Amino acid sequence: MAAALTLCIAASGCVQTAPSGGGAVVAGPLTVVRQAAPYENWEGAAARRQAEAECAARGATLRPSIYDRYQAGAWVYPGGCA
């Protein structure tokens, strides 16, 4: 958890993913938060652009779904990157 906190402090945006088991790539939830100020519920487009960029940096694409949601200053994408 300390490593995730360090990443949040060092980056202009912060993305946290669920841990995967072993060496296999497992799609897990992707949580997108902003360093400067928490996202508002109406900023879904900006959060999605950030999530897509994070997935692209991993060589993957965002898996959006009807279950994507705003939660306490963050946007959660349950499908994660694939």
Side-chain angles (χ1 to χ4, degrees):
M1 185 64 178
L5 181 58
T6 303
L7 283 174
C8 289
I9 293 170
S12 62
C14 180
V15 177
Q16 180 179 10
T17 59
S20 62
V25 176
V26 178
L30 178 68
T31 302
V32 181
V33 296
R34 188 169 47 199
Q35 174 76 24
Y39 277 114
E40 297 292 335
N41 63 347
W42 50 268
E43 293 183 292
R48 182 167 174 163
R49 284 190 297 271
Q50 183 179 344
E52 288 172 340
E54 175 63 26
C55 290
R58 299 177 185 181
T61 57
L62 182 65
R63 295 176 47 182
S65 75
I66 62 170
Y67 301 107
D68 299 347
R69 66 189 179 279
Y70 173 78
Q71 182 177 327
W75 279 86
V76 179
Y77 298 91
C81 302

